[in-house]
Amino acid sequence: MTAQGIQIDRKWRAIALTPAAVIFVAMSLLPVLNLMAMSVHEIKWVASHSVWSYVGFTHYRRLAEDELLQAGIGNTAIFAVVGVTIQVVLGFFLAWAVSRIRSGRTLYRTIFILPILVPGILIGAVWKLMLNFDFGLVNGAIGLLGLHPVDWLGTRAWALPSVILVDIWHWTPFCFLLLLAGFESLPQDVQEAARIDGADTWTELRYVLIPMMMPVIVVTFLFRFVTSLKVFDEIYLLTGGGPGSATEVLSYTIYRTFFTQDRMGYGSAMSIAVLFGISLLIVGSLAASRRYGARA
């Protein structure tokens, strides 16, 4: 193809993609702009009509004093860091083990991804029954060991770890799939050279596979970390943010403010603040990962 043909082809591609890009930007920006407008107003419903009263940055100033929001930030951070770290570690070793299997790999892959295929409503219902204090399967199992039953979802000390456990069971397969794809894309000659040089299994894992897999590990962690900050369904179905504020997370705090307390202006300010904080976190994480990739 000539240079002129390439230029025409690029122009037509740009023309074809422009409408989709405009629609995507509009669909992304319009809700945010609407939230920003709502965040500086007090919104009341009078005779089925919304009445907006301008209050400036009053809602934003209240955020620093909101104890429920502070609890949500702390619980979300614990949930994301602890849960995602365990998911990536488990997913890495499962992917490593499956990548070493010569026969039956498809069967193991199918078994390990089953939890991610289960709808969230079923996960909440099944795990709530399993963790039930009176007749739950978990308490029944530990009762056989002579231990006392635990109120997993109704005790402050155990509620958040229990929800994290459910999230680990649900999302470890996602990390497993990404990391397995990374293992299967590694060059085999480097691993064969390590074996020829006398490296045992753990030496090969530590000095060859983990350094080569580190970019995939970082991307998997960042992607899953960002999605874990939006956790809602597991909290809603299992604990409802309780007991007290033990499992309160940002998404549930925003939901409660909007739909339970009917404070749309304050909920919008909370949403904008959370969106801004998460955006800064994502940008910082991507910059850090690029610097790590450049050094590597």
Side-chain angles (χ1 to χ4, degrees), residues 61 179 199 252 281:
R61 287 192 289 268
L179 293 165
Y252 195 78
L281 183 62

Side-chain angles (χ1 to χ4, degrees), residues 43-60:
I43 302 174
K44 301 289 185 182
W45 291 93
V46 179
S48 301
H49 295 284
S50 60
V51 178
W52 293 39
S53 304
Y54 181 76
V55 295
F57 292 95
T58 302
H59 293 316
Y60 289 98

Side-chain angles (χ1 to χ4, degrees), residues 187-200:
Q188 296 296 319
D189 53 348
V190 177
Q191 301 176 56
E192 293 174 358
R195 297 190 192 104
I196 292 173
D197 290 339
D200 58 22

Side-chain angles (χ1 to χ4, degrees), residues 36-274:
M36 294 176 66
M38 293 170 62
S39 68
V40 294
H41 289 83
E42 189 71 50
I43 302 174
K44 301 289 185 182
W45 291 93
V46 179
S48 301
H49 295 284
S50 60
V51 178
W52 293 39
S53 304
Y54 181 76
V55 295
F57 292 95
T58 302
H59 293 316
Y60 289 98
R61 287 192 289 268
R62 292 176 182 168
L63 293 176
E65 304 172 357
D66 193 328
E67 295 182 358
L68 197 61
L69 178 62
Q70 294 172 10
I73 293 173
N75 290 334
T76 303
I78 295 172
F79 180 91
V81 173
V82 175
V84 174
T85 300
I86 296 175
Q87 290 165 28
V88 172
V89 172
L90 290 177
F92 177 86
F93 282 104
L94 287 175
W96 174 59
V98 171
S99 68
R100 296 172 60 86
I101 296 174
R102 299 304 176 189
S103 61
R105 183 180 299 184
T106 302
L107 174 62
Y108 285 105
R109 182 186 302 171
T110 303
I111 293 173
F112 287 144
I113 68 173
L114 284 178
I116 204 174
L117 302 177
V118 180
I121 186 68
L122 290 181
I123 292 174
V126 170
W127 277 94
K128 195 163 188 176
L129 290 173
M130 291 177 61
L131 297 173
N132 185 274
F133 177 76
D134 297 313
F135 52 81
L137 179 63
V138 176
N139 277 339
I142 66 174
L144 296 175
L145 301 176
L147 301 176
H148 295 289
V150 177
D151 191 0
W152 300 101
L153 300 176
T155 306
R156 293 187 65 90
W158 288 106
L160 186 59
S162 299
V163 175
I164 292 175
L165 174 65
V166 176
D167 191 70
I168 291 170
W169 177 85
H170 187 198
W171 285 104
T172 295
F174 176 80
C175 300
F176 161 76
L177 284 177
L178 294 183
L179 293 165
L180 181 61
F183 272 111
E184 292 180 344
S185 66
L186 294 179
Q188 296 296 319
D189 53 348
V190 177
Q191 301 176 56
E192 293 174 358
R195 297 190 192 104
I196 292 173
D197 290 339
D200 58 22
T201 300
W202 292 107
T203 302
E204 179 188 356
L205 177 65
R206 179 178 178 182
Y207 295 104
V208 178
L209 295 180
I210 291 180
M212 294 174 66
M213 282 288 295
M214 193 54 67
V216 182
I217 294 172
V218 171
V219 170
T220 301
F221 181 87
L222 290 179
F223 190 82
R224 180 66 195 112
F225 180 80
V226 171
T227 57
S228 70
L229 296 176
K230 302 185 296 180
V231 61
F232 173 81
D233 50 352
E234 291 159 0
I235 301 296
Y236 179 80
L237 294 168
L238 291 174
T239 64
S245 60
T247 58
E248 189 78 24
V249 292
L250 289 173
S251 296
Y252 195 78
T253 305
I254 294 172
Y255 163 81
R256 192 201 302 268
T257 305
F258 265 105
F259 299 106
T260 303
Q261 302 174 1
D262 198 24
R263 302 167 66 192
M264 300 181 64
Y266 184 65
S268 299
M270 191 181 296
S271 301
I272 292 296
V274 170

Side-chain angles (χ1 to χ4, degrees), residues 222 225 280-290:
L222 290 179
F225 180 80
L280 288 180
L281 183 62
I282 293 172
V283 171
S285 300
L286 290 175
S289 64
R290 289 195 192 98

